[in-house]
Each structure stands twice: as C-alpha cells, then as structure tokens.
Amino acid sequence: MSIKFSIMQLRNPLQPGDPKKYYAKAQVREVIDINRIANEISYSTSLTQSDVLSVLNALIYKTEEHLADGDIVSLGDFGRFQYQLSSEGADSKAEFTAARIKKVKLHFRPGRMWKPTVDRLQFEQVISVE
C-alpha cells in the first residue's frame, strides 16, 4: 500500500511575490466511515460489528462531553484532543467577556503511534489533474 500523490504548482502564501514552486498533494482514495471501521475491527476480534460500533459511538459521545467541560481527552498513544479559543482582545481584564470569543477549534496532538509514520510510508506519484 502507498499514499498516492500528484504534483501541483502553488504560490507560497507567506511570500506571494515569490515565483510558484511545485509541491506534493495527497490524492484521496476513498472516505472510510465509522461503520466500515467497526466491521473491519469485528473481523479481527470476538466482537460483533454492533458491539464495536457501540463502543466507538460511546467513545465519541464521552469525548465530546469531556471536551465541552474543558477537559483534555487523552487516548494514550493515539493522541490528545482539546478545544482552543480565538477571541478579540480587550484593553483590560475587566472589559473581557465571553462575547469576545469568536471561534472554537478542536485541536488534535498526535501521540507516539503517529511519530514514525513518515518513515514507514511509501509514496506513489500519479498523474496530476490541473
């Protein structure tokens, strides 16, 4: 198995005056949904697809619940999730209210299992569609 990529000519958004350069762009093979993953896990365990799906849905629900309480959710070597906020600045601490919060982003910090991934991956160039 390998990650397919094409080559695209793009501008550097930080240096728009510089000449365009060529960069790799990953090509998606397909979107894999939670039902397919549950089915694949059930084949390698003694659990049914319904059991696996119930556990995955419970994990998602509890993760959402803890994040909404302001917790960091750590899934061991998989990684950690937490919300990050973007807000307008205030001239003083007293002037700041929650109304100044404009965006909430879900931040994922990959765990150890993702670190060596690039060393193990194989890449295959495919025809670019421009």
Side-chain angles (χ1 to χ4, degrees):
M1 292 203 194
S2 62
I3 294 179
K4 311 284 191 266
F5 72 94
S6 61
I7 301 170
M8 295 188 67
Q9 190 177 27
L10 302 167
R11 288 200 189 283
N12 179 344
L14 300 176
Q15 303 291 331
D18 288 358
K20 290 182 177 181
K21 292 187 179 181
Y22 290 90
Y23 298 92
K25 179 164 175 65
Q27 299 298 307
V28 175
R29 188 176 66 140
E30 64 182 299
V31 175
I32 306 299
D33 69 9
I34 195 168
N35 291 309
R36 177 162 170 190
I37 290 174
N39 189 40
E40 292 172 350
I41 291 171
S42 75
Y43 278 113
S44 61
T45 67
S46 61
L47 301 171
T48 66
Q49 180 180 357
S50 300
D51 293 335
V52 174
L53 197 53
S54 292
V55 170
L56 292 175
N57 283 328
L59 174 66
I60 292 167
Y61 174 80
K62 294 308 287 182
T63 298
E64 291 173 342
E65 188 176 85
H66 284 288
L67 288 170
D69 283 341
D71 299 330
I72 293 175
V73 177
S74 175
L75 300 177
D77 288 346
F78 184 80
R80 302 171 87 171
F81 294 91
Q82 79 179 91
Y83 284 133
Q84 290 188 333
L85 307 177
S86 295
S87 63
E88 295 175 346
D91 291 329
S92 69
K93 193 174 185 178
E95 290 180 55
F96 192 91
T97 66
R100 291 185 181 265
I101 298 171
K102 299 300 175 193
K103 190 185 282 186
V104 179
K105 291 183 184 179
L106 180 61
H107 182 69
F108 173 68
R109 287 185 302 241
R112 285 193 313 222
M113 72 178 280
W114 302 108
K115 303 265 186 237
T117 301
V118 174
D119 299 333
R120 294 180 300 176
L121 292 175
Q122 295 179 357
F123 302 96
E124 180 183 338
Q125 185 176 342
V126 296
I127 296 172
S128 298
V129 180
E130 294 185 38

